[in-house]
């Protein structure tokens, strides 16, 4: 799940259940500040613009920016890595904004194997119930850059 600072909207009341993942690099990567510079709404001087582009290009008022994520439940999920898996692998990258944190996020009966734990930032009421995370090493800062993944 990804959004950017200049977008608005919401993700609310989502339930994810009964998943088995193998060799998934970033099983839980929810980044609300993903490629902000890429997601700017600029038309670059186009002369003829289809009507459907106008709505996409319309600027969002400042007080409505930053996607609000809330009431997400993840239940009965297993994520594994093969012994010869060579790519980066992070269990979590859950990042929102301090002034618009994610809220009411629950992980229940989840088991993750990853090379790195990752980051968790700006979440109100994050609950882990029967969650096991096995990591092989500390975070590698190279994996903080989106284009390096």
């Amino acid at each position: 799940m990804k959004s950017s600072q200049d977008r608005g909207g919401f993700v609310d009341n989502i339930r994810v259940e009964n998943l088995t993942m193998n060799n998934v690099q970033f099983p839980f990567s929810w980044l609300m500040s993903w490629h902000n510079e890429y997601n700017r709404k600029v038309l670059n001087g186009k002369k003829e613009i289809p009507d459907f582009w106008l709505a996409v290009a319309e600027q969002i008022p400042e007080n409505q920016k930053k996607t609000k994520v809330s009431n997400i439940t993840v239940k009965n999920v297993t994520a594994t890595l093969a012994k010869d898996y060579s790519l980066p692998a992070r269990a979590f990258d859950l990042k929102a904004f301090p002034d618009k944190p994610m809220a009411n996020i629950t992980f229940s009966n989840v088991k993750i194997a990853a090379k790195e734990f990752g980051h968790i930032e700006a979440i109100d009421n994050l609950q882990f119930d029967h969650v096991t995370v096995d990591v092989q090493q500390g975070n590698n800062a190279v994996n903080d850059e989106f284009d390096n993944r």
Side-chain angles (χ1 to χ4, degrees):
M1 178 173 22
K2 62 187 185 229
S3 190
S4 78
Q5 183 170 316
D6 287 343
R7 294 184 183 188
F10 61 91
V11 177
D12 189 36
N13 293 319
I14 303 294
R15 189 171 186 92
V16 177
E17 292 186 73
N18 305 320
L19 294 176
T20 300
M21 298 182 260
N22 187 40
N23 295 338
V24 174
Q25 279 188 281
F26 304 97
F28 298 106
S29 183
W30 304 350
L31 302 168
M32 298 304 105
S33 186
W34 184 82
H35 273 299
N36 287 316
E37 59 283 343
Y38 171 79
N39 284 290
R40 301 256 188 260
K41 296 180 174 194
V42 179
L43 292 176
N44 293 329
K46 297 227 180 239
K47 301 220 186 259
E48 293 184 30
I49 301 169
D51 289 341
F52 62 87
W53 281 17
L54 294 175
V56 172
E58 188 175 319
Q59 296 300 314
I60 296 171
E62 195 65 37
N63 66 345
Q64 294 177 18
K65 290 185 177 183
K66 301 177 182 171
T67 304
K68 177 65 179 167
V69 176
S70 57
N71 304 310
I72 310 290
T73 299
V74 176
K75 185 177 179 180
N76 301 327
V77 174
T78 301
T80 60
L81 293 178
K83 290 189 187 292
D84 61 348
Y85 186 74
S86 62
L87 296 173
R90 244 184 207 178
F92 297 100
D93 264 333
L94 310 178
K95 293 181 173 183
F97 298 97
D99 61 331
K100 198 173 235 181
M102 293 183 209
N104 305 320
I105 310 296
T106 302
F107 288 86
S108 178
N109 298 318
V110 174
K111 183 169 180 152
I112 303 172
K115 292 183 179 178
E116 306 173 18
F117 183 84
H119 299 283
I120 296 176
E121 298 174 16
I123 301 179
D124 290 340
N125 192 26
L126 172 64
Q127 296 182 34
F128 286 142
D129 179 27
H130 294 87
V131 174
T132 303
V133 181
D134 295 324
V135 294
Q136 300 171 3
Q137 64 194 38
N139 290 340
N140 183 341
V142 168
N143 297 320
D144 291 340
E145 300 299 321
F146 308 114
D147 291 329
N148 292 333
R149 295 183 175 197

